[in-house]
Amino acid sequence: MGTISWAQDTTMDSVTVQELDEVVLSDTRFPIRRENSGKTVIRIGPEELSLNQGRSLPELINNKSGIEISGSRGRAGEVLGAFVRGGRGRQLIVLIDGLRISDPSSFSQEFDLRLLPLDNIESIEIIKGANSTLYGANAATAVINIKTKGAPAEGISGTFRSSVGTNQTADDQKYQLNAFENSARIAGTHDRWEYALGFGHRYTDGISSIGTQTGESDPFSALNADLKLGYRFSESARTQLYASRAKFNVDYDESFGLVDAPYRFKSEQDRVGTQTTVEYQNGSTTLNLAYSSFSSENFSAFPGTFEGQNLIGDLFNRIRFGKVLLLTGLNYNLEEMEFEEARQFRFVDPYANLVYLGEKGWQVSAGGRLNMHSEYGSQWVYNLNPSYTLKRENGYLKFLGSFATSYITPSLTQLFGQFGANPDLGPESNQTLELGTEYTSGDKLRASAVYFSRREDDFVFFNNTTFQYQNAENTINARGVEVEIDWRPLDAITIEANYTFTEREGDPGIRIPKHKAFFSMGYEVNDSFNVAATYAYTGTRLDTDFNTFTQVQLDPFSLLGLNLRYVAIPDRLTFFLQADNLLNESFTEILGFNTRGRNVRTGFTLKL
């Protein structure tokens, strides 16, 4: 999405860029300095990813404000639920290298985060709120923009990672080695060519899916492979081809009645695509195109196979006129799934967004998108995002506001599937209001606070009485506050903290904690040794007892963690040690299912 020339072009803003200025991309699709952004974008860079080697992507993003990933604290491979700002998983979208990825064969058309290992990720940006103007349907609560690793600027490099650890509950502290992860990656640049090849394997065992069983375990295994090949025609034109394959197998138990069962779920995903960018004076044109196929099979009392594929294309142009940044584009999406016969829908979205970087502190981002859907006709979404920045000699104070609408389409399964389908379902609509402020003081402190209010209409739910998907007649409202602090009180000490208050009205809002907090303090002992302690609090929330279909309140819990990193050979060899749930607290994350107790993991990264 970003290019070297665009990153350099940010010096045209009102002040000279310093080395520590942070550039963000996702909230405008232009690389701009954080002080000019009208959002409080969460950015996870290479340093933070390095400190979390051995963890999964859901574990990492679960510690960010406004986000709850249920299942991330349980047995590896457990079904995940993504709840952002009181929303559901189908209301957020995942981008990989700038292009949306979704699974049309799933019940809610979500991308399964279990398919993507952390080792292949270079950086992550998370932008919360309704973002359908920039990213299309279903971008109602958040966009997770993942940039995968590419090639070095010159020469060839190899990276090898390996880790081993325990995988045990609080009641079964035997400290057996049941978690293994290995990856290898080779990348290089030669003349005009760039290439990267990666492979990864994950395996865990030792924990049963359901909490009532202690004598058997349900293992999880995953394989990943990816390939990138790029060619630069000139300084202003380049193209890239990529391919990836991901698959996993996971055993699980019967959730109705919570009894042991020899069930298994298999899933595979193949993806091929291309990205071509042509730059010109003050602008660039990019074409992203990807084809993905998904296949899964469920071995249980209700067996089934699920196959789907999609073709997604995004053609967009970015141009700068002085202080005005203009984005125009056309997005195409074809979703198809195999039932008794193949069913599909498609939509074509022209869109535009304008960013004004004022000279006296004002910034405004505004735009709209026309979603032309084969099932629902035309739907219009828009956004307005003004902000005002008071610049100081060594930082800034920023005030921001945003109002945006979003559009959520039912999945193919909800419309045409074999269980509870309803072809008369209508799309959901979403409105989000944000008000907030952000303060920075040089590279020492960044603090922000945001109030959000969301309104959901025509919410799609499964009616347990009629056994069919329906649109809710009532309106659902979610509101809350997110507070974030990044502070470096001393050169050797870093502190990260966040707190989220979330309130949802209109339905029970299961698995959404009203209060959630995270705190991390890192200490750089010397150039080679780094230690960090973490504390995570998850407050009370409701869950559903599927035996009685009644709501049960789950108790709050707190988890302590520890990370150690030692650089044995700079830029070559690094060792790490992690300890999670240090106090071995026994807690419930999902009613009836196991969670992890005290566990340790160690490993290394070798770069050649």
Side-chain angles (χ1 to χ4, degrees), residues 431-585:
Q431 299 177 354
T432 299
L433 171 70
E434 293 178 85
L435 298 171
T437 184
E438 181 174 271
Y439 172 79
T440 68
S441 179
D443 63 330
K444 297 292 186 182
L445 175 66
R446 181 179 69 84
S448 65
V450 175
Y451 166 81
F452 67 87
S453 177
R454 295 194 307 107
R455 173 188 170 118
E456 302 177 14
D457 291 300
D458 299 316
F459 182 78
V460 174
F461 73 104
F462 186 79
N463 191 318
N464 292 312
T465 302
T466 63
F467 294 98
Q468 189 180 48
Y469 289 101
Q470 294 181 356
N471 289 105
E473 296 181 359
N474 62 303
T475 296
I476 293 175
N477 293 287
R479 64 184 64 89
V481 176
E482 299 164 351
V483 179
E484 300 176 5
I485 296 175
D486 288 300
W487 184 30
R488 185 185 289 269
L490 300 173
D491 289 342
I493 296 177
T494 57
I495 293 174
E496 175 190 351
N498 63 68
Y499 164 76
T500 304
F501 168 79
T502 306
E503 191 171 54
R504 181 181 172 98
E505 298 175 348
D507 69 359
I510 64 170
R511 300 177 189 169
I512 300 173
K514 195 168 188 177
H515 301 279
K516 188 175 180 182
F518 177 78
F519 176 84
S520 172
M521 184 172 69
Y523 177 59
E524 187 175 309
V525 180
N526 53 46
D527 292 341
S528 300
F529 186 50
N530 186 289
V531 58
T534 62
Y535 168 80
Y537 171 81
T538 303
T540 57
R541 61 247 176 258
L542 295 176
D543 203 352
T544 300
D545 184 339
F546 286 102
N547 293 313
T548 60
F549 291 99
T550 57
Q551 307 305 315
V552 178
Q553 180 170 289
L554 302 181
D555 292 333
F557 60 90
S558 300
L559 301 176
L560 294 177
L562 183 68
N563 295 343
L564 303 176
R565 184 179 62 172
Y566 176 70
V567 180
I569 305 175
D571 298 321
R572 287 289 184 267
L573 181 61
T574 302
F575 295 96
F576 72 89
L577 175 68
Q578 296 168 352
D580 295 319
N581 195 357
L582 284 172
L583 300 182
N584 197 37
E585 179 168 352

Side-chain angles (χ1 to χ4, degrees), residues 27-45:
D27 67 319
T28 64
R29 295 181 65 173
F30 281 88
I32 61 175
R33 294 207 313 279
R34 189 178 193 102
E35 68 179 73
N36 292 325
S37 169
K39 298 281 189 176
T40 55
V41 179
I42 296 174
R43 188 176 189 280
I44 304 172

Side-chain angles (χ1 to χ4, degrees), residues 128-408:
K128 289 169 288 188
N131 292 287
S132 280
T133 297
L134 290 176
Y135 296 106
N138 296 58
T141 61
V143 173
I144 302 175
N145 188 8
I146 297 170
K147 181 180 179 182
T148 60
K149 293 178 178 177
E154 58 183 20
I156 184 173
S157 66
T159 303
F160 306 90
R161 286 193 173 96
S162 183
S163 67
V164 61
T166 62
N167 188 49
Q168 56 195 11
T169 65
D171 296 328
D172 185 26
Q173 293 284 293
K174 297 179 180 179
Y175 293 93
Q176 297 177 342
L177 298 180
N178 283 317
F180 307 89
E181 185 168 353
N182 298 283
S183 68
R185 186 170 192 83
I186 298 175
T189 298
H190 178 70
D191 195 17
R192 295 176 180 266
W193 292 93
E194 297 177 347
Y195 57 90
L197 176 64
F199 172 81
H201 174 252
R202 292 167 285 160
Y203 178 82
T204 60
D205 201 351
I207 295 181
S208 172
S209 176
I210 59 174
T212 57
Q213 300 291 322
T214 59
E216 59 83 38
S217 62
D218 294 303
F220 167 78
S221 64
L223 289 170
N224 292 84
D226 65 278
L227 172 68
K228 287 185 178 182
L229 183 63
Y231 182 76
R232 182 177 290 274
F233 298 100
S234 65
E235 290 299 318
S236 60
R238 64 195 181 280
T239 190
Q240 182 184 82
L241 301 174
Y242 56 85
S244 65
R245 180 173 177 80
K247 58 187 298 185
F248 70 79
N249 289 272
V250 59
D251 288 4
Y252 69 101
D253 295 322
E254 176 60 71
S255 57
F256 291 97
L258 297 174
V259 295
D260 181 34
Y263 295 166
R264 191 189 338 155
F265 181 76
K266 297 169 55 179
S267 181
E268 297 182 6
Q269 178 250 324
D270 294 290
R271 188 172 188 244
V272 294
T274 180
Q275 182 184 86
T276 301
T277 298
V278 178
E279 300 173 15
Y280 56 90
Q281 186 176 8
N282 296 329
S284 66
T285 300
T286 299
L287 172 63
N288 282 349
L289 188 65
Y291 170 80
S292 302
S293 65
F294 295 83
S295 176
S296 58
E297 187 169 5
N298 189 29
F299 303 88
S300 71
F302 300 94
T305 58
F306 312 91
E307 294 183 0
Q309 48 273 331
N310 57 23
L311 177 65
I312 300 177
D314 192 22
L315 175 65
F316 61 92
N317 182 77
R318 297 184 295 189
I319 188 169
R320 180 166 189 156
F321 304 97
K323 296 294 181 180
V324 176
L325 313 177
L326 177 62
L327 170 75
T328 55
L330 181 68
N331 180 259
Y332 175 80
N333 197 328
L334 173 66
E335 306 278 347
E336 184 176 276
M337 184 174 176
E338 302 291 335
F339 299 108
E340 293 180 356
E341 59 179 320
R343 302 302 296 261
Q344 65 176 230
F345 60 63
R346 61 190 177 278
F347 45 89
V348 180
D349 302 3
Y351 60 92
N353 194 73
L354 183 145
V355 179
Y356 172 68
L357 305 175
E359 295 182 354
K360 296 184 178 181
W362 284 103
Q363 295 86 219
V364 178
S365 176
R369 176 183 290 245
L370 181 64
N371 184 292
M372 296 180 288
H373 198 284
S374 59
E375 293 291 326
Y376 300 116
S378 299
Q379 304 284 333
W380 173 257
V381 294
Y382 61 91
N383 75 284
L384 178 63
N385 179 201
S387 61
Y388 180 70
T389 304
L390 292 170
K391 298 179 182 178
R392 304 168 58 250
E393 182 178 352
N394 196 32
Y396 62 84
L397 175 64
K398 179 173 64 178
F399 301 93
L400 58 94
S402 174
F403 183 80
T405 62
S406 195
Y407 167 72
I408 301 98

Side-chain angles (χ1 to χ4, degrees), residues 18-91:
Q18 298 178 4
E19 183 180 354
L20 293 172
D21 285 341
E22 184 179 13
V23 173
V24 296
L25 174 66
S26 298
D27 67 319
T28 64
R29 295 181 65 173
F30 281 88
I32 61 175
R33 294 207 313 279
R34 189 178 193 102
E35 68 179 73
N36 292 325
S37 169
K39 298 281 189 176
T40 55
V41 179
I42 296 174
R43 188 176 189 280
I44 304 172
E47 175 67 15
E48 186 172 353
L49 290 167
S50 175
L51 288 171
N52 285 276
Q53 297 175 45
R55 290 197 168 89
S56 67
L57 173 62
E59 285 180 87
L60 178 58
I61 64 177
N62 183 60
N63 291 326
K64 302 304 178 181
S65 67
I67 300 173
E68 167 66 16
I69 309 293
S70 69
S72 62
R73 311 170 190 86
R75 176 187 60 101
E78 202 65 77
V79 175
L80 301 171
F83 309 102
V84 181
R85 288 187 167 179
R88 301 300 181 195
R90 66 176 180 272
Q91 296 170 331

